[in-house]
């Protein structure tokens, strides 16, 4: 074993409780970016993040964005050394699900498993990368390491692109590494070479001014929920999931034979997928088709169709208004601006009374699958977990990725540490020491590789 690896193992043993204490302090700040009542907590999270960086001996600042702030910081070791920026987000999803077995914002540590909202998405991975970076810096690696911790990722990064223009506070790196993606299963690491984009929409329909008796008015009264249901049915086929908006699939990039092969080799397993997410059945049981559907095909989903009576029993009213919240996951080379136009035009044709609003756009991302950075990531994952990663695409979206690519035009790599059963956005979210310690080894190895590669191009 090399001296570097021997020191690394010692470092992991020495720093486990520090990692756990810090993760606990982060999870206990309910940094729910979506919730207007948590604005102060989100800021407190940014301040805690900056303080943690400073306590590790890095420079750090909280940067205003116009929305929730973000944290930028790092170590500068020399102008000739390459610079890597590690991106993570410290905001989290709401945690009101009744299935929580604990207070989601009370960190619980149980035999190497860490419970609480944000443990895996994305505070645990953020802290994992930080501890590895501290080790790398202490070893004297010729590498500048920067951190960019966003607090608006879970709301679509509305101020991120603009904030990146502040080059003094957020200098352009030579490459970016992101730890905010998931493995295929708990024994199959994955490197993401693409992310889906997103177009979120709200459709509302008002047909009156108050609920009316459905016996007295029904038949003549227009029902906004029925009309919105018609809009849904005109947009997506319920059984196949096929999107019916004219022109929707026009720009979809078919994935290559190489990609298909690497999907098939990824070890993706349908029963495990169903178990991890608690599904009773799926639209298809064919593994290749499931992978294609969740990674490489666009979708139309309804998140909420609301209005009318929701209390106990059935109240016989015709509601006077309704709202539909929906989103479309987009894949390379679809453009959300164009899809929004297609959607608006289609809805206007189906029902001109429906008001359509955009609630956020994220461009899909196509990343690197070859080259020295990818090889370095592969090597890092092997060193951390003793297993070769599979190349996949991710079905989820990270708004900041495309903004960084546009602003900096540098390679962006993914070193994800979350597992399907960790429960992104789900009740009883968790992270674990196996992923954290393997992740620290992987990150430390990646940093050593970057230092060895020097400044490319
Ligand atoms: N970490 C996820 C993105 C992700 C999900 C990557 C699954 C790989 C696999 C991120 O925190 C997230 O949840 N993004 C949101 C963005 C949205 C709220 C604008 C998403 O994908 O829904
Ligand atoms: Mn995330
Ligand atoms: Mn998330």
């Amino acid at each position: 074993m090399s001296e570097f690896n021997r020191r690394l193992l010692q470092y992991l043993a020495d720093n486990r409780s520090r990692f756990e204490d810090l993760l606990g302090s982060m999870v206990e700040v309910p940094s729910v970016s979506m919730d207007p009542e948590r604005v102060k907590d989100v800021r407190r999270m940014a301040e805690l993040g900056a303080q943690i960086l400073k306590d590790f001996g890095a420079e750090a600042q909280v940067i205003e964005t116009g929305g929730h702030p973000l944290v930028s910081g790092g170590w500068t070791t020399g102008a000739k050394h390459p610079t890597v920026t590690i991106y993570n987000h410290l905001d989290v999803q709401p945690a009101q699900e009744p299935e929580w077995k604990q207070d989601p914002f009370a960190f619980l540590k149980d035999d190497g498993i860490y419970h609480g909202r944000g443990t895996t998405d994305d505070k645990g991975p953020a802290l994992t990368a930080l501890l590895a970076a501290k080790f790398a810096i202490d070893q004297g690696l010729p590498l500048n390491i920067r951190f960019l911790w966003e607090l608006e990722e879970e709301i679509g990064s509305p101020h991120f692109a603009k904030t990146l223009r502040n080059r003094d506070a957020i200098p352009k790196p030579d490459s970016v590494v992101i730890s905010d993606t998931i493995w295929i299963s708990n024994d199959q690491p994955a490197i993401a070479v693409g992310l889906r984009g997103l177009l979120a929409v709200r459709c509302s329909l008002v047909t009156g001014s108050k609920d009316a008796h459905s016996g007295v008015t029904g038949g003549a009264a227009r029902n906004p929920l029925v009309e919105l249901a018609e809009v849904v049915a005109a947009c997506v086929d319920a059984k196949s999931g096929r999107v019916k908006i004219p022109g929707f699939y026009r720009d979809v990039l078919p994935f290559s034979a190489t990609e298909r092969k690497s999907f098939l080799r990824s070890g993706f397993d349908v029963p495990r997928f169903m178990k991890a997410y608690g599904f009773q059945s799926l639209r298809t049981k064919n593994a290749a088709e499931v992978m294609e559907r969740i990674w490489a095909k666009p979708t139309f989903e309804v998140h909420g169709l609301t209005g009318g009576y929701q209390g106990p029993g059935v109240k016989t009213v015709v509601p006077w208004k309704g709202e539909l919240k929906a989103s479309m996951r987009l894949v390379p080379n679809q453009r959300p601006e164009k899809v929004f136009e297609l959607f608006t035009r289609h809805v206007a044709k189906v029902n001109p009374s429906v008001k359509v609003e955009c609630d956020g756009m994220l461009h899909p991302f196509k990343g690197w699958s070859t080259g020295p950075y990818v090889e370095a990531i592969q090597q890092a994952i092997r060193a951390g977990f003793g297993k070769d990663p599979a190349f996949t695409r991710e079905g989820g979206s990270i708004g900041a990725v495309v903004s960084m690519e546009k602003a900096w035009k540098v390679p962006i790599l993914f070193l994800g540490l979350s597992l399907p059963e960790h429960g992104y956005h789900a009740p009883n979210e968790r992270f674990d020491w196996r992923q954290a310690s393997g992740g620290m080894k992987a990150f430390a190895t990646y940093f050593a590789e970057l230092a060895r590669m020097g400044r490319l191009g």
Side-chain angles (χ1 to χ4, degrees), residues 34 89 91 93 120-122 152-157 179-182 192 194-198 200 277 295 329 362 393-399 414 418 424-425:
M34 206 179 283
H89 64 91
D91 61 325
Q93 287 281 328
T120 202
D121 189 13
D122 183 33
E152 289 193 321
E153 194 277 335
E154 299 288 11
I155 51 171
S157 308
S179 191
D180 190 29
T181 49
I182 55 176
L195 294 172
R196 288 199 285 196
L198 189 75
Y277 297 99
W295 296 334
R329 291 281 168 182
L362 301 180
R393 293 208 216 162
E394 293 282 6
S397 314
I398 307 169
F414 295 89
S418 297
Y424 266 179
H425 299 194

Side-chain angles (χ1 to χ4, degrees), residues 381-423:
I381 289 176
R382 255 181 250 129
F385 299 98
K387 191 123 199 212
D388 269 311
F391 288 91
T392 65
R393 293 208 216 162
E394 293 282 6
S397 314
I398 307 169
V401 175
V402 173
S403 304
M404 290 190 283
E405 184 189 41
K406 274 201 186 129
W408 296 334
K409 300 180 178 65
V410 299
I412 297 180
L413 287 301
F414 295 89
L415 210 176
L417 300 173
S418 297
L419 302 178
E421 58 267 37
H422 283 164

Side-chain angles (χ1 to χ4, degrees), residues 118-412:
T119 44
T120 202
D121 189 13
D122 183 33
K123 292 172 177 177
L127 202 53
T128 301
L130 170 60
L131 265 86
K134 168 71 176 156
F135 173 79
I137 293 294
D138 286 349
Q139 298 309 301
L141 282 185
L143 182 68
N144 302 306
I145 302 184
R146 297 209 53 89
F147 300 90
L148 198 47
W149 287 346
E150 199 192 1
L151 286 119
E152 289 193 321
E153 194 277 335
E154 299 288 11
I155 51 171
S157 308
H159 301 91
F160 189 81
K162 195 189 74 206
T163 311
L164 277 195
R165 288 196 219 128
N166 182 352
R167 290 252 172 142
D168 295 328
I170 311 175
K172 173 184 156 163
D174 299 291
S175 67
V176 176
V177 62
I178 295 174
S179 191
D180 190 29
T181 49
I182 55 176
W183 286 18
I184 303 278
S185 68
N186 61 19
D187 57 13
Q188 183 53 65
I191 297 182
V193 294
L195 294 172
R196 288 199 285 196
L198 189 75
L199 167 64
V201 292
R202 269 176 295 134
C203 297
S204 53
L205 178 57
V206 177
T207 55
S209 56
K210 57 189 176 194
D211 286 359
H213 192 292
S214 70
V216 179
T217 65
R222 289 176 63 185
N223 187 319
L225 294 183
V226 173
E227 294 190 24
L228 287 172
E230 182 194 31
V231 168
V232 172
C235 287
V236 60
D237 180 80
K239 296 242 163 45
S240 65
R242 186 162 177 88
V243 181
K244 292 154 78 177
I245 302 164
F248 183 78
Y249 289 96
R250 198 176 299 144
D251 298 328
V252 170
L253 189 75
F255 56 96
S256 63
T258 331
E259 262 186 294
R260 186 182 299 268
K261 252 190 237 149
S262 85
F263 285 5
L264 287 172
R265 273 200 316 257
S266 70
F268 180 90
D269 179 76
V270 177
R272 273 166 103 165
F273 173 77
M274 291 180 69
K275 182 156 183 284
Y277 297 99
F279 292 128
Q280 294 173 355
S281 57
L282 293 174
R283 283 184 176 140
T284 171
K285 284 207 156 150
N286 180 282
E289 204 188 326
V290 172
M291 287 184 269
E292 185 171 338
R293 281 168 169 268
I294 62 175
W295 296 334
K297 285 274 171 74
T299 64
F300 184 102
E301 300 292 352
V302 173
H303 309 299
L305 176 54
T306 55
Y309 180 71
Q310 308 285 342
V314 177
K315 188 173 174 223
T316 50
V317 289
V318 179
W320 62 283
K321 62 173 179 182
E323 191 185 31
L324 167 68
K325 291 175 196 271
S327 78
M328 287 150 260
R329 291 281 168 182
L330 308 177
V331 300
N333 294 324
Q334 287 179 298
R335 283 186 303 112
E337 298 83 0
K338 185 169 167 201
V339 174
F340 183 60
E341 228 183 274
L342 296 174
F343 173 72
T344 312
R345 216 182 298 153
H346 186 53
V347 174
K349 225 181 252 165
V350 176
N351 191 332
S353 325
V354 172
K355 189 171 136 210
V356 176
E357 282 167 288
C358 176
D359 205 66
M361 291 182 178
L362 301 180
H363 286 255
F365 175 75
K366 203 164 182 309
W368 282 257
S369 56
T370 56
Y373 289 97
V374 174
E375 282 162 29
I377 291 272
Q378 275 180 296
Q379 194 177 324
I381 289 176
R382 255 181 250 129
F385 299 98
K387 191 123 199 212
D388 269 311
F391 288 91
T392 65
R393 293 208 216 162
E394 293 282 6
S397 314
I398 307 169
V401 175
V402 173
S403 304
M404 290 190 283
E405 184 189 41
K406 274 201 186 129
W408 296 334
K409 300 180 178 65
V410 299
I412 297 180

